[in-house]
Amino acid sequence: MLKKIVPFACVIVGLTSCSLDDGGDDVIIDEIQIENPTSYTFERDGASTVSFSGQTTRLRMGDELLAAMMDDSSTLEELEAMYAHEEGAADFSDADLNASDKNLLTKTAASVDYFSTNSAEQIAIRADFNSWLQTQVEEVFPNWNTVATAGVAGQLADGASTRYVNAQGLEMNQVFNKSLIGALMVDQAINNYLSPDVLDAGDNPDNNGAVITEEGKNYTTMEHKWDEAYGYVFGQNADAANPNADLGADNFLNKYLGRVEGDADFAGIADDIFQAFKLGRAAIVAKQYTVRDQQAVIIQDKISTIIGVRAIYYLQQAKLELEKESPSYGTVFHDLSEGYGFIYSLQFTRDTSKEAPYFTKNQVDALLAQLLGDGDNGLWDVTPETLQDISETIANAFSFSLEAAAN
């Protein structure tokens, strides 16, 4: 059972007073009460100060790109343009997305804490995403109607679904999707916008303290940075101010927050994240940055847990299928393609006790190489023993058990 961590209700750091209400949601520091609101709603002079439209835009761009990856008439140039969208280019079916100056590429592996611009790791990670688009177009699409076999790309049945895999058995759309969760949504949320190097950059603390808002906006820069982290988790929820009733609102982090919430061993994780986001934002308004940073740690821990849990879950689901007398390789490869992406995403997690990812890029690369094996057939040759070994390696790095994550 995962140890439940709730938002801090009382932080003793040079306090003159400290008390709890019946709900345990309020903090009093130096006689300033921080009330955790019931929803992610913050206003100034009667107008909302919450804004994360850029995050919602990127989530929607990601949805369209994933759909295009499953249309075998898509060209490599079209997919690459959707990934690296330039303002005004007609890359999407939505005119608002075409008009946007946002894109997915420049936010991939771009956090201030983990990456410097044009670092070797950043370049290598972005090259991976482009290579997956290329593989989909040049290897998978030409074999769209071919039955896949070991070393040959094509299609495989998976119950009522059809899976389209490369020669190694990987669904490139699933690899791209789940890897982007880590490289963009997780990395930006927990290693960028929740970083003190972003929240406290430049004059942010002074401006937030004096309530100096950004030009033409109703929010301070610090408030906005926190909101942007929130947007990568809840930016497509129908009611983003109260998102827990609508988990699974996108194809990215929110979807898998919902999946992990649905596991009895991790029930409550969605509300833990939501409460920490609300209280942290309220602490920014109250100019109490110790509380803010404590909530950031909760969010970083919980979001990292989602990635670790789902990596193990998919490996174990594939192992169960592979151990059957007549396994469905469409099912096995679908699970392992998702698992591949979540393993890839481990390098963007954050072990807050070390202020570093649970697995480095080199360690992730080694796990993925172990998954694919030494030959040319990749997943066609994977064994239950290999899946168990990788699962145990991941579980040992986290505070939850393999058994809890496998359900």
Side-chain angles (χ1 to χ4, degrees):
M1 182 71 69
L2 180 69
K3 182 178 180 182
K4 183 176 177 66
I5 304 175
V6 298
F8 287 77
C10 187
V11 184
I12 304 176
V13 184
L15 306 188
T16 58
S17 62
C18 181
S19 67
L20 306 177
D21 67 3
D22 292 339
D25 288 330
D26 291 356
V27 179
I28 299 178
I29 296 182
D30 296 334
E31 299 182 346
I32 298 174
Q33 184 175 16
I34 305 175
E35 179 181 356
N36 195 348
T38 58
S39 66
Y40 199 85
T41 302
F42 299 90
E43 295 183 345
R44 179 173 292 116
D45 299 327
S48 175
T49 63
V50 177
S51 175
F52 45 78
S53 60
Q55 287 61 48
T56 300
T57 292
R58 289 190 178 90
L59 292 171
R60 291 168 57 200
M61 287 178 172
D63 286 339
E64 281 216 29
L65 175 53
L66 293 177
M69 287 186 74
M70 291 302 290
D71 178 354
D72 64 333
S73 69
S74 298
T75 67
L76 180 58
E77 291 74 17
E78 289 170 340
L79 296 181
E80 289 178 336
M82 295 176 81
Y83 181 49
H85 173 69
E86 295 183 0
E87 183 178 2
D91 299 321
F92 302 98
S93 62
D94 188 321
D96 290 339
L97 298 184
N98 291 332
S100 174
D101 62 354
K102 314 298 182 187
N103 67 39
L104 301 172
L105 171 64
T106 56
K107 292 297 184 179
T108 301
S111 67
V112 68
D113 283 353
Y114 281 7
F115 300 97
S116 57
T117 303
N118 293 324
S119 66
E121 283 198 356
Q122 183 187 76
I123 291 170
I125 289 165
R126 292 179 180 181
D128 284 339
F129 283 91
N130 281 307
S131 74
W132 297 331
L133 295 177
Q134 183 176 1
T135 298
Q136 184 75 349
V137 172
E138 297 181 358
E139 184 179 333
V140 178
F141 284 173
N143 291 284
W144 204 246
N145 297 311
T146 300
V147 176
T149 56
V152 178
Q155 61 172 259
L156 289 169
D158 174 15
S161 300
T162 302
R163 308 300 179 185
Y164 299 91
V165 301
N166 74 348
Q168 292 185 304
L170 285 168
E171 287 182 274
M172 304 317 300
N173 61 308
Q174 294 298 335
V175 169
F176 191 100
N177 182 353
K178 276 54 180 183
S179 298
L180 195 66
I181 292 174
L184 201 164
M185 291 77 190
V186 171
D187 188 50
Q188 283 293 296
I190 71 174
N191 303 317
N192 194 67
Y193 290 119
L194 296 186
S195 168
D197 284 346
V198 170
L199 292 169
D200 296 334
D203 296 329
N204 289 358
D206 291 340
N207 289 343
N208 192 70
V211 195
I212 298 173
T213 60
E214 293 187 4
E215 185 176 356
K217 305 296 183 181
N218 198 36
Y219 49 72
T220 69
T221 297
M222 188 185 295
E223 290 170 337
H224 185 48
K225 296 306 180 184
W226 189 271
D227 291 343
E228 289 183 293
Y230 186 85
Y232 276 120
V233 186
F234 299 114
Q236 286 216 91
N237 288 84
D239 182 3
N242 296 282
N244 283 345
D246 184 31
L247 297 179
D250 61 35
N251 287 306
F252 301 102
L253 186 54
N254 189 269
K255 176 178 181 177
Y256 293 95
L257 172 58
R259 295 290 177 84
V260 176
E261 173 67 26
D263 181 338
D265 290 297
F266 300 94
I269 190 171
D271 195 53
D272 287 343
I273 291 172
F274 181 52
Q275 295 298 331
F277 264 121
K278 290 192 290 99
L279 183 53
R281 182 59 156 78
I284 290 173
V285 175
K287 308 170 186 62
Q288 298 296 332
Y289 305 134
T290 297
V291 178
R292 178 201 73 182
D293 292 343
Q294 289 166 335
Q295 305 318 302
V297 168
I298 293 172
I299 297 164
Q300 290 163 336
D301 282 340
K302 297 295 185 178
I303 287 179
S304 296
T305 293
I306 294 168
I307 302 303
V309 167
R310 294 310 286 187
I312 293 171
Y313 173 84
Y314 286 117
L315 293 173
Q316 290 295 303
Q317 290 299 301
K319 177 176 175 283
L320 289 173
E321 182 66 26
L322 201 58
E323 289 172 334
K324 293 180 179 179
E325 184 175 348
S326 299
S328 164
Y329 280 91
T331 299
V332 171
F333 293 169
H334 179 62
D335 285 332
L336 291 183
S337 297
E338 295 192 86
Y340 186 106
F342 277 106
I343 294 171
Y344 193 91
S345 289
L346 288 170
Q347 64 193 292
F348 309 102
T349 58
R350 193 179 191 93
D351 181 346
T352 55
S353 69
K354 301 175 182 177
E355 297 300 340
Y358 280 91
F359 290 85
T360 66
K361 185 179 189 305
N362 287 339
Q363 290 171 323
V364 164
D365 289 345
L367 290 176
L368 295 175
Q370 183 181 0
L371 180 63
L372 293 178
D374 297 329
D376 295 331
N377 293 338
L379 299 180
W380 290 93
D381 294 335
V382 74
T383 66
E385 292 74 21
T386 294
L387 301 182
Q388 183 68 17
D389 185 53
I390 298 173
S391 297
E392 291 175 357
T393 298
I394 297 170
N396 288 339
F398 286 86
S399 61
F400 54 79
S401 69
L402 186 156
E403 291 73 22
N407 295 329

